[in-house]
Amino acid sequence: MVWKWLGALVVFPLQIIYLVTKAAVGLVLPPKLRDLSRESVLITGGGRGIGRHLAREFAERGARKVGDITILVNNAAVVHGKSLMDSDDDALLKSQHVNTLGQFWTTKAFLPRMLELQNGHIVCLNSVLALSAIPGAIDYCTSKASAFAFMESLTLGLLDCPGVGATTVLPFHTSTEMFQGMRVRFPNLFPPLKPETVARRTVEAVQQNQALLLLPWTMNILVILKSVLPQAALEEIHRFSGTYTCMNTFKGRT
C-alpha cells in the first residue's frame, strides 16, 4: 500500500506537467477541428444577438437542425439592469429561472440521449460577470455565477462519459441590444466584442472540445488579479476602469 501511494505521488506531478505542456502546444498547434456535418444542434435564444450568429456559424459548418440533439447550446438570458433594492421580485425570479434553472431543464432533457449515443456536447454562453460582478446588474451577475458553478460541476461529472463533453464561454461585454447603453471608461482600450466573433470562437471551442473559453484572452488576467490582489485594490480597478458605474447608462433589452 505504501509503495502504491508513493507511486501515485511520483506520477501525479508528471501528469500535470504533461497536461500543461500539451495545452501550451495546443495554443501554437491547434488540434484538428471536430466535424459537425453529422451533428444536430439546439440553441436556446437563437432568434437574435449571439444566438442568431451561433445558428449561422453552426449551419455554415454543416450542422443540422433536425434529428437527435448532439450539441445543446444554452444561450438564452435576460438582464434587468437594476440594483437589488430597485428590482421587483418577479424580475429577480425571472433572471434565475431563465439564466440558471433553464440550463438544468434543457440539460436534463437532452443529456440522457447523448450519453446513450456516446456523442454530445453541452455549451453554456455565460459571461465574464460570472467571475467579476458589477453594480447595477445584481440579478444577472448572480444567475451567471450560478450557471458557471453548474457547468463546472457538470464538466467534471462528464469526465468518465466517453464522447460527451462541455464548454463554458465567458465573453466580455458584447455589442448586442441586450446591454445597449452600457459604458466603460476606456472604450478604445476595452472595446465591446462583436457577436459574430463570440459565435465563431464558441463553435471552434466546441470543435476542439475546449472546456473553458474567456473572451478576449486578456480576461485571463482578470482571473489572476482576483486571486492575488486585496479587495481594496480590486475596488480601485473597478472605479478606474468605469465598471463601477457602467450600468448607470444601461438601456438594454430586459
Side-chain angles (χ1 to χ4, degrees), residues 89-126:
D89 293 347
D90 289 338
L92 292 174
L93 287 173
K94 182 178 179 181
S95 297
Q96 308 311 311
H97 286 160
V98 175
N99 300 358
T100 305
L101 292 177
Q103 301 196 41
F104 280 77
W105 312 143
T106 55
T107 303
K108 287 189 69 175
F110 295 104
L111 182 57
R113 182 57 174 161
M114 294 181 186
L115 295 173
E116 182 181 340
L117 296 172
Q118 294 190 352
N119 178 35
H121 208 95
I122 307 294
V123 185
C124 171
L125 250 296
N126 204 302

PDB file of all heavy atoms in Angstrom, residues 89-126:
ATOM      1  N   ASP A  89     -39.549  41.565  -7.263  1.00  0.00           N
ATOM      2  CA  ASP A  89     -39.340  40.136  -7.014  1.00  0.00           C
ATOM      3  C   ASP A  89     -39.523  39.297  -8.272  1.00  0.00           C
ATOM      4  O   ASP A  89     -38.782  38.330  -8.502  1.00  0.00           O
ATOM      5  CB  ASP A  89     -40.288  39.648  -5.916  1.00  0.00           C
ATOM      6  CG  ASP A  89     -39.957  40.262  -4.559  1.00  0.00           C
ATOM      7  OD1 ASP A  89     -38.871  40.856  -4.436  1.00  0.00           O
ATOM      8  OD2 ASP A  89     -40.782  40.150  -3.636  1.00  0.00           O
ATOM      9  N   ASP A  90     -40.509  39.643  -9.086  1.00  0.00           N
ATOM     10  CA  ASP A  90     -40.769  38.868 -10.299  1.00  0.00           C
ATOM     11  C   ASP A  90     -39.580  38.930 -11.259  1.00  0.00           C
ATOM     12  O   ASP A  90     -39.225  37.937 -11.898  1.00  0.00           O
ATOM     13  CB  ASP A  90     -42.030  39.377 -11.003  1.00  0.00           C
ATOM     14  CG  ASP A  90     -43.292  39.026 -10.237  1.00  0.00           C
ATOM     15  OD1 ASP A  90     -43.245  38.072  -9.426  1.00  0.00           O
ATOM     16  OD2 ASP A  90     -44.314  39.689 -10.447  1.00  0.00           O
ATOM     17  N   ALA A  91     -38.975  40.119 -11.352  1.00  0.00           N
ATOM     18  CA  ALA A  91     -37.816  40.275 -12.228  1.00  0.00           C
ATOM     19  C   ALA A  91     -36.637  39.455 -11.731  1.00  0.00           C
ATOM     20  O   ALA A  91     -35.916  38.821 -12.515  1.00  0.00           O
ATOM     21  CB  ALA A  91     -37.432  41.749 -12.329  1.00  0.00           C
ATOM     22  N   LEU A  92     -36.429  39.443 -10.415  1.00  0.00           N
ATOM     23  CA  LEU A  92     -35.336  38.655  -9.835  1.00  0.00           C
ATOM     24  C   LEU A  92     -35.546  37.165 -10.097  1.00  0.00           C
ATOM     25  O   LEU A  92     -34.608  36.442 -10.449  1.00  0.00           O
ATOM     26  CB  LEU A  92     -35.232  38.920  -8.332  1.00  0.00           C
ATOM     27  CG  LEU A  92     -34.780  40.319  -7.918  1.00  0.00           C
ATOM     28  CD1 LEU A  92     -34.867  40.473  -6.406  1.00  0.00           C
ATOM     29  CD2 LEU A  92     -33.351  40.587  -8.393  1.00  0.00           C
ATOM     30  N   LEU A  93     -36.768  36.702  -9.929  1.00  0.00           N
ATOM     31  CA  LEU A  93     -37.070  35.288 -10.164  1.00  0.00           C
ATOM     32  C   LEU A  93     -36.911  34.928 -11.630  1.00  0.00           C
ATOM     33  O   LEU A  93     -36.410  33.848 -11.967  1.00  0.00           O
ATOM     34  CB  LEU A  93     -38.491  34.967  -9.693  1.00  0.00           C
ATOM     35  CG  LEU A  93     -38.700  34.910  -8.181  1.00  0.00           C
ATOM     36  CD1 LEU A  93     -40.176  34.766  -7.852  1.00  0.00           C
ATOM     37  CD2 LEU A  93     -37.916  33.753  -7.569  1.00  0.00           C
ATOM     38  N   LYS A  94     -37.330  35.820 -12.510  1.00  0.00           N
ATOM     39  CA  LYS A  94     -37.215  35.548 -13.948  1.00  0.00           C
ATOM     40  C   LYS A  94     -35.757  35.357 -14.345  1.00  0.00           C
ATOM     41  O   LYS A  94     -35.427  34.464 -15.132  1.00  0.00           O
ATOM     42  CB  LYS A  94     -37.832  36.687 -14.751  1.00  0.00           C
ATOM     43  CG  LYS A  94     -37.802  36.452 -16.263  1.00  0.00           C
ATOM     44  CD  LYS A  94     -38.458  37.592 -17.020  1.00  0.00           C
ATOM     45  CE  LYS A  94     -38.407  37.349 -18.523  1.00  0.00           C
ATOM     46  NZ  LYS A  94     -39.033  38.463 -19.277  1.00  0.00           N
ATOM     47  N   SER A  95     -34.878  36.189 -13.807  1.00  0.00           N
ATOM     48  CA  SER A  95     -33.449  36.066 -14.123  1.00  0.00           C
ATOM     49  C   SER A  95     -32.911  34.699 -13.721  1.00  0.00           C
ATOM     50  O   SER A  95     -32.167  34.065 -14.476  1.00  0.00           O
ATOM     51  CB  SER A  95     -32.654  37.162 -13.406  1.00  0.00           C
ATOM     52  OG  SER A  95     -33.027  38.434 -13.852  1.00  0.00           O
ATOM     53  N   GLN A  96     -33.281  34.240 -12.540  1.00  0.00           N
ATOM     54  CA  GLN A  96     -32.786  32.947 -12.065  1.00  0.00           C
ATOM     55  C   GLN A  96     -33.398  31.799 -12.875  1.00  0.00           C
ATOM     56  O   GLN A  96     -32.718  30.823 -13.200  1.00  0.00           O
ATOM     57  CB  GLN A  96     -33.088  32.760 -10.577  1.00  0.00           C
ATOM     58  CG  GLN A  96     -32.640  33.912  -9.686  1.00  0.00           C
ATOM     59  CD  GLN A  96     -31.208  34.358  -9.927  1.00  0.00           C
ATOM     60  OE1 GLN A  96     -30.291  33.551  -9.973  1.00  0.00           O
ATOM     61  NE2 GLN A  96     -31.007  35.661 -10.086  1.00  0.00           N
ATOM     62  N   HIS A  97     -34.665  31.918 -13.213  1.00  0.00           N
ATOM     63  CA  HIS A  97     -35.334  30.856 -13.971  1.00  0.00           C
ATOM     64  C   HIS A  97     -34.760  30.715 -15.371  1.00  0.00           C
ATOM     65  O   HIS A  97     -34.495  29.604 -15.842  1.00  0.00           O
ATOM     66  CB  HIS A  97     -36.835  31.145 -14.055  1.00  0.00           C
ATOM     67  CG  HIS A  97     -37.556  30.889 -12.767  1.00  0.00           C
ATOM     68  ND1 HIS A  97     -38.785  31.447 -12.473  1.00  0.00           N
ATOM     69  CD2 HIS A  97     -37.229  30.163 -11.672  1.00  0.00           C
ATOM     70  CE1 HIS A  97     -39.190  31.051 -11.278  1.00  0.00           C
ATOM     71  NE2 HIS A  97     -38.247  30.276 -10.765  1.00  0.00           N
ATOM     72  N   VAL A  98     -34.564  31.844 -16.056  1.00  0.00           N
ATOM     73  CA  VAL A  98     -34.075  31.798 -17.440  1.00  0.00           C
ATOM     74  C   VAL A  98     -32.576  31.523 -17.488  1.00  0.00           C
ATOM     75  O   VAL A  98     -32.108  30.636 -18.211  1.00  0.00           O
ATOM     76  CB  VAL A  98     -34.397  33.118 -18.175  1.00  0.00           C
ATOM     77  CG1 VAL A  98     -33.784  33.119 -19.574  1.00  0.00           C
ATOM     78  CG2 VAL A  98     -35.902  33.323 -18.259  1.00  0.00           C
ATOM     79  N   ASN A  99     -31.809  32.296 -16.727  1.00  0.00           N
ATOM     80  CA  ASN A  99     -30.344  32.239 -16.843  1.00  0.00           C
ATOM     81  C   ASN A  99     -29.713  31.023 -16.178  1.00  0.00           C
ATOM     82  O   ASN A  99     -28.641  30.579 -16.590  1.00  0.00           O
ATOM     83  CB  ASN A  99     -29.725  33.505 -16.243  1.00  0.00           C
ATOM     84  CG  ASN A  99     -30.185  34.762 -16.941  1.00  0.00           C
ATOM     85  OD1 ASN A  99     -30.943  34.720 -17.899  1.00  0.00           O
ATOM     86  ND2 ASN A  99     -29.747  35.905 -16.453  1.00  0.00           N
ATOM     87  N   THR A 100     -30.361  30.498 -15.138  1.00  0.00           N
ATOM     88  CA  THR A 100     -29.765  29.375 -14.398  1.00  0.00           C
ATOM     89  C   THR A 100     -30.600  28.110 -14.495  1.00  0.00           C
ATOM     90  O   THR A 100     -30.162  27.104 -15.058  1.00  0.00           O
ATOM     91  CB  THR A 100     -29.574  29.748 -12.916  1.00  0.00           C
ATOM     92  OG1 THR A 100     -28.811  30.947 -12.814  1.00  0.00           O
ATOM     93  CG2 THR A 100     -28.852  28.635 -12.183  1.00  0.00           C
ATOM     94  N   LEU A 101     -31.812  28.149 -13.968  1.00  0.00           N
ATOM     95  CA  LEU A 101     -32.631  26.933 -13.924  1.00  0.00           C
ATOM     96  C   LEU A 101     -32.964  26.403 -15.310  1.00  0.00           C
ATOM     97  O   LEU A 101     -33.089  25.193 -15.499  1.00  0.00           O
ATOM     98  CB  LEU A 101     -33.918  27.202 -13.141  1.00  0.00           C
ATOM     99  CG  LEU A 101     -33.734  27.448 -11.641  1.00  0.00           C
ATOM    100  CD1 LEU A 101     -35.071  27.767 -10.993  1.00  0.00           C
ATOM    101  CD2 LEU A 101     -33.095  26.239 -10.972  1.00  0.00           C
ATOM    102  N   GLY A 102     -33.084  27.304 -16.283  1.00  0.00           N
ATOM    103  CA  GLY A 102     -33.344  26.854 -17.651  1.00  0.00           C
ATOM    104  C   GLY A 102     -32.293  25.888 -18.146  1.00  0.00           C
ATOM    105  O   GLY A 102     -32.591  24.949 -18.909  1.00  0.00           O
ATOM    106  N   GLN A 103     -31.036  26.083 -17.706  1.00  0.00           N
ATOM    107  CA  GLN A 103     -29.962  25.187 -18.131  1.00  0.00           C
ATOM    108  C   GLN A 103     -30.082  23.812 -17.478  1.00  0.00           C
ATOM    109  O   GLN A 103     -29.708  22.801 -18.080  1.00  0.00           O
ATOM    110  CB  GLN A 103     -28.605  25.814 -17.810  1.00  0.00           C
ATOM    111  CG  GLN A 103     -28.410  27.150 -18.501  1.00  0.00           C
ATOM    112  CD  GLN A 103     -26.975  27.593 -18.522  1.00  0.00           C
ATOM    113  OE1 GLN A 103     -26.066  26.791 -18.740  1.00  0.00           O
ATOM    114  NE2 GLN A 103     -26.747  28.880 -18.312  1.00  0.00           N
ATOM    115  N   PHE A 104     -30.609  23.782 -16.260  1.00  0.00           N
ATOM    116  CA  PHE A 104     -30.874  22.494 -15.618  1.00  0.00           C
ATOM    117  C   PHE A 104     -31.876  21.695 -16.445  1.00  0.00           C
ATOM    118  O   PHE A 104     -31.669  20.510 -16.730  1.00  0.00           O
ATOM    119  CB  PHE A 104     -31.444  22.709 -14.207  1.00  0.00           C
ATOM    120  CG  PHE A 104     -30.419  23.020 -13.157  1.00  0.00           C
ATOM    121  CD1 PHE A 104     -29.860  24.279 -13.055  1.00  0.00           C
ATOM    122  CD2 PHE A 104     -30.024  22.050 -12.255  1.00  0.00           C
ATOM    123  CE1 PHE A 104     -28.926  24.570 -12.079  1.00  0.00           C
ATOM    124  CE2 PHE A 104     -29.093  22.320 -11.265  1.00  0.00           C
ATOM    125  CZ  PHE A 104     -28.544  23.585 -11.172  1.00  0.00           C
ATOM    126  N   TRP A 105     -32.970  22.360 -16.830  1.00  0.00           N
ATOM    127  CA  TRP A 105     -34.052  21.635 -17.513  1.00  0.00           C
ATOM    128  C   TRP A 105     -33.645  21.174 -18.907  1.00  0.00           C
ATOM    129  O   TRP A 105     -33.935  20.039 -19.297  1.00  0.00           O
ATOM    130  CB  TRP A 105     -35.300  22.518 -17.593  1.00  0.00           C
ATOM    131  CG  TRP A 105     -35.707  23.190 -16.320  1.00  0.00           C
ATOM    132  CD1 TRP A 105     -36.235  24.436 -16.183  1.00  0.00           C
ATOM    133  CD2 TRP A 105     -35.624  22.662 -14.974  1.00  0.00           C
ATOM    134  NE1 TRP A 105     -36.471  24.730 -14.868  1.00  0.00           N
ATOM    135  CE2 TRP A 105     -36.119  23.669 -14.096  1.00  0.00           C
ATOM    136  CE3 TRP A 105     -35.182  21.463 -14.436  1.00  0.00           C
ATOM    137  CZ2 TRP A 105     -36.183  23.495 -12.720  1.00  0.00           C
ATOM    138  CZ3 TRP A 105     -35.237  21.293 -13.049  1.00  0.00           C
ATOM    139  CH2 TRP A 105     -35.732  22.285 -12.213  1.00  0.00           C
ATOM    140  N   THR A 106     -32.987  22.041 -19.682  1.00  0.00           N
ATOM    141  CA  THR A 106     -32.591  21.638 -21.034  1.00  0.00           C
ATOM    142  C   THR A 106     -31.528  20.535 -20.998  1.00  0.00           C
ATOM    143  O   THR A 106     -31.575  19.589 -21.785  1.00  0.00           O
ATOM    144  CB  THR A 106     -32.053  22.839 -21.826  1.00  0.00           C
ATOM    145  OG1 THR A 106     -30.981  23.463 -21.095  1.00  0.00           O
ATOM    146  CG2 THR A 106     -33.146  23.861 -22.090  1.00  0.00           C
ATOM    147  N   THR A 107     -30.601  20.659 -20.066  1.00  0.00           N
ATOM    148  CA  THR A 107     -29.548  19.642 -19.969  1.00  0.00           C
ATOM    149  C   THR A 107     -30.125  18.296 -19.538  1.00  0.00           C
ATOM    150  O   THR A 107     -29.765  17.245 -20.082  1.00  0.00           O
ATOM    151  CB  THR A 107     -28.448  20.093 -18.986  1.00  0.00           C
ATOM    152  OG1 THR A 107     -27.909  21.353 -19.416  1.00  0.00           O
ATOM    153  CG2 THR A 107     -27.326  19.063 -18.928  1.00  0.00           C
ATOM    154  N   LYS A 108     -31.037  18.312 -18.560  1.00  0.00           N
ATOM    155  CA  LYS A 108     -31.672  17.064 -18.134  1.00  0.00           C
ATOM    156  C   LYS A 108     -32.496  16.447 -19.251  1.00  0.00           C
ATOM    157  O   LYS A 108     -32.640  15.222 -19.322  1.00  0.00           O
ATOM    158  CB  LYS A 108     -32.571  17.322 -16.924  1.00  0.00           C
ATOM    159  CG  LYS A 108     -31.819  17.588 -15.619  1.00  0.00           C
ATOM    160  CD  LYS A 108     -32.754  17.614 -14.422  1.00  0.00           C
ATOM    161  CE  LYS A 108     -33.298  16.227 -14.132  1.00  0.00           C
ATOM    162  NZ  LYS A 108     -34.121  16.197 -12.902  1.00  0.00           N
ATOM    163  N   ALA A 109     -33.018  17.275 -20.147  1.00  0.00           N
ATOM    164  CA  ALA A 109     -33.848  16.775 -21.235  1.00  0.00           C
ATOM    165  C   ALA A 109     -33.028  16.083 -22.321  1.00  0.00           C
ATOM    166  O   ALA A 109     -33.462  15.069 -22.879  1.00  0.00           O
ATOM    167  CB  ALA A 109     -34.660  17.915 -21.839  1.00  0.00           C
ATOM    168  N   PHE A 110     -31.846  16.603 -22.631  1.00  0.00           N
ATOM    169  CA  PHE A 110     -31.095  16.110 -23.784  1.00  0.00           C
ATOM    170  C   PHE A 110     -29.842  15.303 -23.438  1.00  0.00           C
ATOM    171  O   PHE A 110     -29.342  14.547 -24.277  1.00  0.00           O
ATOM    172  CB  PHE A 110     -30.705  17.279 -24.698  1.00  0.00           C
ATOM    173  CG  PHE A 110     -31.881  17.965 -25.320  1.00  0.00           C
ATOM    174  CD1 PHE A 110     -32.310  19.199 -24.849  1.00  0.00           C
ATOM    175  CD2 PHE A 110     -32.576  17.374 -26.360  1.00  0.00           C
ATOM    176  CE1 PHE A 110     -33.407  19.833 -25.408  1.00  0.00           C
ATOM    177  CE2 PHE A 110     -33.675  17.990 -26.933  1.00  0.00           C
ATOM    178  CZ  PHE A 110     -34.096  19.227 -26.459  1.00  0.00           C
ATOM    179  N   LEU A 111     -29.312  15.448 -22.221  1.00  0.00           N
ATOM    180  CA  LEU A 111     -28.097  14.721 -21.864  1.00  0.00           C
ATOM    181  C   LEU A 111     -28.269  13.203 -21.865  1.00  0.00           C
ATOM    182  O   LEU A 111     -27.350  12.491 -22.312  1.00  0.00           O
ATOM    183  CB  LEU A 111     -27.586  15.199 -20.502  1.00  0.00           C
ATOM    184  CG  LEU A 111     -26.288  14.573 -20.007  1.00  0.00           C
ATOM    185  CD1 LEU A 111     -25.154  14.788 -21.002  1.00  0.00           C
ATOM    186  CD2 LEU A 111     -25.900  15.137 -18.637  1.00  0.00           C
ATOM    187  N   PRO A 112     -29.395  12.648 -21.402  1.00  0.00           N
ATOM    188  CA  PRO A 112     -29.520  11.179 -21.398  1.00  0.00           C
ATOM    189  C   PRO A 112     -29.312  10.553 -22.772  1.00  0.00           C
ATOM    190  O   PRO A 112     -28.636   9.527 -22.889  1.00  0.00           O
ATOM    191  CB  PRO A 112     -30.950  10.958 -20.889  1.00  0.00           C
ATOM    192  CG  PRO A 112     -31.222  12.144 -20.028  1.00  0.00           C
ATOM    193  CD  PRO A 112     -30.551  13.285 -20.728  1.00  0.00           C
ATOM    194  N   ARG A 113     -29.871  11.153 -23.812  1.00  0.00           N
ATOM    195  CA  ARG A 113     -29.699  10.602 -25.169  1.00  0.00           C
ATOM    196  C   ARG A 113     -28.252  10.743 -25.632  1.00  0.00           C
ATOM    197  O   ARG A 113     -27.721   9.847 -26.307  1.00  0.00           O
ATOM    198  CB  ARG A 113     -30.642  11.324 -26.134  1.00  0.00           C
ATOM    199  CG  ARG A 113     -30.592  10.801 -27.568  1.00  0.00           C
ATOM    200  CD  ARG A 113     -30.904   9.330 -27.655  1.00  0.00           C
ATOM    201  NE  ARG A 113     -30.979   8.880 -29.040  1.00  0.00           N
ATOM    202  CZ  ARG A 113     -30.880   7.614 -29.437  1.00  0.00           C
ATOM    203  NH1 ARG A 113     -30.711   6.652 -28.524  1.00  0.00           N
ATOM    204  NH2 ARG A 113     -30.960   7.293 -30.710  1.00  0.00           N
ATOM    205  N   MET A 114     -27.594  11.831 -25.271  1.00  0.00           N
ATOM    206  CA  MET A 114     -26.181  11.999 -25.617  1.00  0.00           C
ATOM    207  C   MET A 114     -25.334  10.907 -24.979  1.00  0.00           C
ATOM    208  O   MET A 114     -24.434  10.339 -25.611  1.00  0.00           O
ATOM    209  CB  MET A 114     -25.682  13.375 -25.149  1.00  0.00           C
ATOM    210  CG  MET A 114     -26.306  14.558 -25.837  1.00  0.00           C
ATOM    211  SD  MET A 114     -25.611  16.114 -25.207  1.00  0.00           S
ATOM    212  CE  MET A 114     -26.640  17.315 -26.057  1.00  0.00           C
ATOM    213  N   LEU A 115     -25.626  10.601 -23.709  1.00  0.00           N
ATOM    214  CA  LEU A 115     -24.886   9.553 -23.014  1.00  0.00           C
ATOM    215  C   LEU A 115     -25.138   8.195 -23.661  1.00  0.00           C
ATOM    216  O   LEU A 115     -24.224   7.361 -23.763  1.00  0.00           O
ATOM    217  CB  LEU A 115     -25.289   9.520 -21.542  1.00  0.00           C
ATOM    218  CG  LEU A 115     -24.941  10.770 -20.716  1.00  0.00           C
ATOM    219  CD1 LEU A 115     -25.534  10.672 -19.325  1.00  0.00           C
ATOM    220  CD2 LEU A 115     -23.432  10.965 -20.642  1.00  0.00           C
ATOM    221  N   GLU A 116     -26.369   7.989 -24.096  1.00  0.00           N
ATOM    222  CA  GLU A 116     -26.708   6.724 -24.758  1.00  0.00           C
ATOM    223  C   GLU A 116     -25.979   6.575 -26.082  1.00  0.00           C
ATOM    224  O   GLU A 116     -25.480   5.499 -26.417  1.00  0.00           O
ATOM    225  CB  GLU A 116     -28.224   6.667 -24.982  1.00  0.00           C
ATOM    226  CG  GLU A 116     -28.719   5.378 -25.616  1.00  0.00           C
ATOM    227  CD  GLU A 116     -30.217   5.389 -25.825  1.00  0.00           C
ATOM    228  OE1 GLU A 116     -30.914   6.182 -25.178  1.00  0.00           O
ATOM    229  OE2 GLU A 116     -30.706   4.588 -26.663  1.00  0.00           O
ATOM    230  N   LEU A 117     -25.900   7.691 -26.836  1.00  0.00           N
ATOM    231  CA  LEU A 117     -25.205   7.676 -28.126  1.00  0.00           C
ATOM    232  C   LEU A 117     -23.697   7.749 -27.973  1.00  0.00           C
ATOM    233  O   LEU A 117     -22.960   7.488 -28.931  1.00  0.00           O
ATOM    234  CB  LEU A 117     -25.670   8.864 -28.974  1.00  0.00           C
ATOM    235  CG  LEU A 117     -27.132   8.898 -29.405  1.00  0.00           C
ATOM    236  CD1 LEU A 117     -27.465  10.234 -30.057  1.00  0.00           C
ATOM    237  CD2 LEU A 117     -27.431   7.748 -30.363  1.00  0.00           C
ATOM    238  N   GLN A 118     -23.234   8.115 -26.768  1.00  0.00           N
ATOM    239  CA  GLN A 118     -21.814   8.399 -26.524  1.00  0.00           C
ATOM    240  C   GLN A 118     -21.307   9.458 -27.497  1.00  0.00           C
ATOM    241  O   GLN A 118     -20.211   9.383 -28.051  1.00  0.00           O
ATOM    242  CB  GLN A 118     -20.965   7.113 -26.622  1.00  0.00           C
ATOM    243  CG  GLN A 118     -21.276   6.110 -25.531  1.00  0.00           C
ATOM    244  CD  GLN A 118     -20.290   4.961 -25.471  1.00  0.00           C
ATOM    245  OE1 GLN A 118     -19.426   4.814 -26.335  1.00  0.00           O
ATOM    246  NE2 GLN A 118     -20.385   4.160 -24.430  1.00  0.00           N
ATOM    247  N   ASN A 119     -22.144  10.458 -27.676  1.00  0.00           N
ATOM    248  CA  ASN A 119     -21.823  11.567 -28.578  1.00  0.00           C
ATOM    249  C   ASN A 119     -22.662  12.771 -28.170  1.00  0.00           C
ATOM    250  O   ASN A 119     -23.892  12.726 -28.239  1.00  0.00           O
ATOM    251  CB  ASN A 119     -22.127  11.196 -30.029  1.00  0.00           C
ATOM    252  CG  ASN A 119     -21.838  12.359 -30.975  1.00  0.00           C
ATOM    253  OD1 ASN A 119     -20.898  13.124 -30.765  1.00  0.00           O
ATOM    254  ND2 ASN A 119     -22.655  12.498 -32.007  1.00  0.00           N
ATOM    255  N   GLY A 120     -22.008  13.817 -27.711  1.00  0.00           N
ATOM    256  CA  GLY A 120     -22.760  15.003 -27.333  1.00  0.00           C
ATOM    257  C   GLY A 120     -21.885  16.083 -26.750  1.00  0.00           C
ATOM    258  O   GLY A 120     -20.728  15.847 -26.376  1.00  0.00           O
ATOM    259  N   HIS A 121     -22.448  17.295 -26.688  1.00  0.00           N
ATOM    260  CA  HIS A 121     -21.708  18.426 -26.142  1.00  0.00           C
ATOM    261  C   HIS A 121     -22.695  19.426 -25.579  1.00  0.00           C
ATOM    262  O   HIS A 121     -23.679  19.785 -26.243  1.00  0.00           O
ATOM    263  CB  HIS A 121     -20.861  19.090 -27.233  1.00  0.00           C
ATOM    264  CG  HIS A 121     -19.633  19.755 -26.717  1.00  0.00           C
ATOM    265  ND1 HIS A 121     -18.401  19.122 -26.688  1.00  0.00           N
ATOM    266  CD2 HIS A 121     -19.430  20.982 -26.185  1.00  0.00           C
ATOM    267  CE1 HIS A 121     -17.496  19.947 -26.175  1.00  0.00           C
ATOM    268  NE2 HIS A 121     -18.111  21.083 -25.863  1.00  0.00           N
ATOM    269  N   ILE A 122     -22.454  19.876 -24.353  1.00  0.00           N
ATOM    270  CA  ILE A 122     -23.266  20.895 -23.697  1.00  0.00           C
ATOM    271  C   ILE A 122     -22.472  22.189 -23.686  1.00  0.00           C
ATOM    272  O   ILE A 122     -21.326  22.222 -23.229  1.00  0.00           O
ATOM    273  CB  ILE A 122     -23.622  20.502 -22.250  1.00  0.00           C
ATOM    274  CG1 ILE A 122     -24.259  19.105 -22.192  1.00  0.00           C
ATOM    275  CG2 ILE A 122     -24.543  21.547 -21.642  1.00  0.00           C
ATOM    276  CD1 ILE A 122     -25.593  19.006 -22.856  1.00  0.00           C
ATOM    277  N   VAL A 123     -23.075  23.263 -24.190  1.00  0.00           N
ATOM    278  CA  VAL A 123     -22.408  24.564 -24.259  1.00  0.00           C
ATOM    279  C   VAL A 123     -23.185  25.577 -23.440  1.00  0.00           C
ATOM    280  O   VAL A 123     -24.417  25.647 -23.527  1.00  0.00           O
ATOM    281  CB  VAL A 123     -22.297  25.062 -25.715  1.00  0.00           C
ATOM    282  CG1 VAL A 123     -21.503  26.358 -25.776  1.00  0.00           C
ATOM    283  CG2 VAL A 123     -21.668  23.999 -26.605  1.00  0.00           C
ATOM    284  N   CYS A 124     -22.468  26.370 -22.660  1.00  0.00           N
ATOM    285  CA  CYS A 124     -23.084  27.450 -21.882  1.00  0.00           C
ATOM    286  C   CYS A 124     -22.486  28.780 -22.318  1.00  0.00           C
ATOM    287  O   CYS A 124     -21.289  29.003 -22.154  1.00  0.00           O
ATOM    288  CB  CYS A 124     -22.862  27.240 -20.387  1.00  0.00           C
ATOM    289  SG  CYS A 124     -23.371  28.647 -19.364  1.00  0.00           S
ATOM    290  N   LEU A 125     -23.314  29.640 -22.913  1.00  0.00           N
ATOM    291  CA  LEU A 125     -22.895  31.001 -23.211  1.00  0.00           C
ATOM    292  C   LEU A 125     -23.085  31.827 -21.938  1.00  0.00           C
ATOM    293  O   LEU A 125     -24.173  32.311 -21.653  1.00  0.00           O
ATOM    294  CB  LEU A 125     -23.721  31.566 -24.356  1.00  0.00           C
ATOM    295  CG  LEU A 125     -22.990  31.771 -25.674  1.00  0.00           C
ATOM    296  CD1 LEU A 125     -21.888  32.789 -25.563  1.00  0.00           C
ATOM    297  CD2 LEU A 125     -22.439  30.457 -26.200  1.00  0.00           C
ATOM    298  N   ASN A 126     -22.027  31.967 -21.189  1.00  0.00           N
ATOM    299  CA  ASN A 126     -22.090  32.645 -19.907  1.00  0.00           C
ATOM    300  C   ASN A 126     -21.601  34.085 -20.069  1.00  0.00           C
ATOM    301  O   ASN A 126     -21.807  34.695 -21.110  1.00  0.00           O
ATOM    302  CB  ASN A 126     -21.280  31.870 -18.868  1.00  0.00           C
ATOM    303  CG  ASN A 126     -21.721  32.117 -17.452  1.00  0.00           C
ATOM    304  OD1 ASN A 126     -21.741  33.231 -16.971  1.00  0.00           O
ATOM    305  ND2 ASN A 126     -22.094  31.047 -16.761  1.00  0.00           N
TER     306      ASN A 126
END
